[in-house]
Each structure stands twice: as C-alpha cells, then as structure tokens.
Amino acid sequence: MGFKSGVVSLVGKPNVGKSTLINRLVGEKIAIVSDKVQTTRNRIGGIVTTEKGQVIFYDTPGIHKPLHRLGQYLVKIAVGALNGSDLLLIMVDYEDGIKASDHLVAKHVNSSKIPAFLAINKIDVALTKASLNEFTKKALALFENVEKHFLISAEKGDGVDELLEEIIQRLPEGPMLYPEDVITDRSSRFMAAEIIREKVLMLTKEEIPHSTGVYIHDFQDKETGVLFIRADIVVERQSQKPIIIGKQGAMIKKIGILARQDMEYIFDSKVFLELFVKVRKKWREKDNFIQDFTNLREDLE
Ligand SMILES: Nc1nc2c(ncn2[C@@H]2O[C@H](COP(=O)(O)OP(=O)(O)OP(=O)(O)O)[C@@H](O)[C@H]2O)c(=O)[nH]1
Ligand SMILES: [Mg+2]
C-alpha cells in the first residue's frame, strides 16, 4: 500500500467536542475549546502526518439554526467545508443526546453524498452499555452515508488512535501535501486572536462570550526577540465593556496574563501583549465587522 492523503472535515452541532478531538489528533492545541456553544468560528486545518499517510482535518463551527448574521456565516463555513472533503467525520455527543441541531447536521451531510465516519463522543460519561447502544442506534439512523462508527472520548483519548488509523486507511493514495512538521494552516496572528478569545470565553458568562470578537492590530517580532502583540477585545454594548475590564482592571489583566502565557508557549518567544476594549454596536450583524473581528476573510475566500 502506498502513502495516503486527503481532507477530512469534522462536522457536528456546537459543543460536541470537535475542537477537542482536533487537538488530540494533532497532539498540540491548535483550536480553542470551551464549555460554551459556538466556540469555533472558522475552518481550522489540523494536519496529522504518520508513516502511513497525511490527513488534513478541518475543524468547523458547530452547525445550528442561526440567530444573527454571524451565526449565518458560521453555518456557511461549516457547510462549505463539506465540499472538497474526501471523507466526513460526523460527531455526535452521547452526553447531550440527539437534538434538533443534529437533524440539521444530518440534512447537510446527507445531501452532500460524501462518505462519512461517525464519531460518538463523550463516552466517558456513559452510564451503561445498554444506553450507549441505544444512543448509537439513534445516531446511526440519522445519517445516510456513514460507513463506520467509533465510540470515543476526545477528552480522555479513548478510541482516538483506532479512529485515526481507520481514517488513513480509507483515504486515497496521494502525496504529502504539507511538510511533516506543519500542524495547522492558520497563521500565528489568527492563533493569537483565538487565544485571547478563549480566555474571555473561560472567564465570562451569559451573553459576553458570544458578543466578543478580537482584532489584532500589531503582530511584530521586535529585534529584541520579543513578540509584540496589540489587540482589541470587541464587545457589542457599552454595558459589556466594564465587565471585560473588571474591577480596577482585574479582569482584563487576568485575560492578558493567561493569554500571554499560552502565546509564549505556542510561539516559543517572549511576548509583550497589550489589550484594549472597544465597543462596536451590533457588530455580529454587520459584514465588515464580522470579517474583521472573527478573521473570517480567509474562510470565505
Ligand atoms: N466528558 C467529555 N467532555 C468532552 C469530551 N470532548 C469534549 N468535551 C467537552 O465538551 C465541551 C465542548 O468542547 P469543544 O471541543 O469546544 O466542542 P466543539 O464541538 O468544538 O464546539 P463548537 O466549536 O462550539 O462547535 C468542552 O467543555 C470540552 O471539554 C469528551 O470526550 N468527554
Ligand atoms: Mg470548536
């Protein structure tokens, strides 16, 4: 057998664990994860290279019924990623059960006619084997093009090696498309914005996480060996600004410290991070703002 290569898009409703799985497959954190829905806003390539093959996995935003313009973009990106995939990896969430948005996912993947594998995630919370079997049956009934299904825990790693092995086997023979040390197709600038957003997602609640965008103004390697990053955290309403800033600046300071720590690890460099908070009314409804504050331009090209 020759070397295999191809594109595998990972699709599912929000919060099922798609980004968690991408990170585990790649072996490094390339996509941010949170316990809030609609964490991922872009198509993020994670590249896995083994002796047998190379897989370009695309993490995608969770497919859902959009409530605003940003939501429409997210679904468009996720559905758009289906085209051009050699294989789809559909993910469902055992813990959450089958919901209306899983039916929406099924509608899109069924009409794509692209062969698919199904990953049943979060089996670490399985109560009994019987309930897992019942869930598996229910999930399989939704999707028409599933060739194989896998019971996994993206978080704990159960079943993930086997899943990768089977995916590589299923891909066509082909050349290596990226050098073997490349693990993502996204820029460092993009990663920096995502890391900042992840800290906001982690430290805030209710509507704040969803109303936040990040815009990177400066991303420069100063000759001193320090990476200088200046970014805006953008919120939708004046009343949200003091929440991001916190009492005497405590919240923004915390976001900054945590983000800088992650950046120094990922970029392997000392980082100087400067954060500002801006208000852009209803930015999630406005095309230009959406593209700037979610780095969408690359996704829509
Ligand atoms: N118990 C358990 N939790 C998991 C597992 N995988 C992911 N999670 C949790 O599920 C939540 C959502 O994970 P994400 O990876 O951000 O989910 P996603 O599908 O990328 O979500 P969106 O980007 O919003 O579409 C996080 O709190 C994860 O820690 C798993 O195998 N078991
Ligand atoms: Mg995600």
Side-chain angles (χ1 to χ4, degrees):
M1 273 297 205
F3 193 81
K4 306 287 191 84
S5 68
V7 170
V8 178
S9 291
L10 180 49
V11 291
K13 72 180 172 187
N15 215 40
V16 291
K18 299 178 294 297
S19 302
T20 306
L21 179 64
I22 289 278
N23 291 338
R24 184 160 284 280
L25 287 162
V26 169
E28 291 280 346
K29 186 159 156 190
I30 59 156
I32 63 167
V33 166
S34 89
D35 59 0
K36 321 262 186 326
V37 296
Q38 286 147 47
T39 297
T40 304
R41 290 175 172 169
N42 305 77
R43 189 189 76 175
I44 301 171
I47 299 141
V48 180
T49 310
T50 73
E51 277 175 9
K52 292 180 182 160
Q54 185 174 66
V55 193
I56 296 137
F57 284 101
Y58 282 131
D59 187 12
T60 62
I63 293 176
H64 63 286
K65 195 161 169 265
L67 296 174
H68 42 66
R69 192 135 178 87
L70 172 61
Q72 289 170 9
Y73 273 102
L74 301 188
V75 176
K76 194 171 155 190
I77 288 165
V79 173
L82 302 179
N83 302 317
S85 305
D86 294 288
L87 180 73
L88 304 180
L89 182 57
I90 307 161
M91 188 179 266
V92 290
D93 180 338
Y94 170 76
E95 189 179 24
D96 190 49
I98 299 295
K99 297 280 164 65
S101 25
D102 291 297
H103 288 266
L104 207 55
V105 175
K107 193 187 95 185
H108 290 294
V109 299
N110 289 347
S111 66
S112 80
K113 308 280 183 212
I114 299 168
F117 284 179
L118 176 69
I120 296 168
N121 192 31
K122 307 195 188 177
I123 60 153
D124 52 293
V125 300
L127 295 175
T128 63
K129 210 161 177 181
S131 70
L132 194 52
N133 284 343
E134 196 184 319
F135 177 78
T136 303
K137 246 194 230 162
K138 233 164 117 181
L140 281 170
L142 279 183
F143 304 101
E144 292 163 6
N145 29 1
V146 170
E147 295 179 357
K148 276 192 174 156
H149 69 277
F150 300 83
L151 304 178
I152 68 162
S153 167
E155 199 159 84
K156 307 267 189 290
D158 304 344
V160 175
D161 290 345
E162 192 197 333
L163 172 65
L164 177 62
E165 181 94 4
E166 295 268 354
I167 286 172
I168 292 174
Q169 248 183 52
R170 180 63 181 76
L171 291 178
E173 284 189 18
M176 222 187 252
L177 301 165
Y178 284 89
E180 56 186 314
D181 57 340
V182 173
I183 55 169
T184 182
D185 64 346
R186 303 301 302 222
S187 63
S188 301
R189 202 184 173 100
F190 172 79
M191 302 279 267
E194 288 289 271
I195 290 166
I196 296 164
R197 199 163 60 82
E198 182 185 58
K199 305 312 168 199
V200 176
L201 283 165
M202 197 174 94
L203 296 169
T204 64
K205 49 188 200 276
E206 285 149 21
E207 87 286 8
I208 304 278
H210 304 294
S211 318
T212 301
V214 175
Y215 183 73
I216 305 282
H217 279 282
D218 279 318
F219 190 95
Q220 293 174 34
D221 230 333
K222 289 263 156 95
E223 273 152 30
T224 53
V226 178
L227 190 57
F228 179 84
I229 301 170
R230 202 156 58 96
D232 287 343
I233 296 175
V234 184
V235 289
E236 282 201 319
R237 280 186 274 120
Q238 204 61 42
S239 61
Q240 295 169 332
K241 196 172 167 175
I243 299 173
I244 299 281
I245 293 172
K247 263 196 196 123
Q248 291 167 341
M251 177 63 94
I252 188 115
K253 195 171 164 198
K254 200 164 173 186
I255 293 167
I257 290 170
L258 292 174
R260 183 171 47 77
Q261 280 170 355
D262 280 15
M263 288 174 187
E264 290 191 335
Y265 173 76
I266 289 175
F267 303 139
D268 195 18
S269 162
K270 200 164 168 30
V271 170
F272 182 80
L273 176 63
E274 213 178 351
L275 293 175
F276 301 89
V277 186
K278 298 262 165 73
V279 180
R280 292 287 176 272
K281 284 201 178 107
K282 292 199 171 172
W283 72 261
R284 287 184 297 170
E285 297 291 354
K286 295 172 186 162
D287 287 352
N288 270 349
F289 281 162
I290 289 173
Q291 296 191 14
D292 281 345
F293 306 150
T294 60
N295 302 286
L296 274 185
R297 287 183 214 278
E298 286 174 40
D299 298 74
L300 298 168
E301 273 166 8

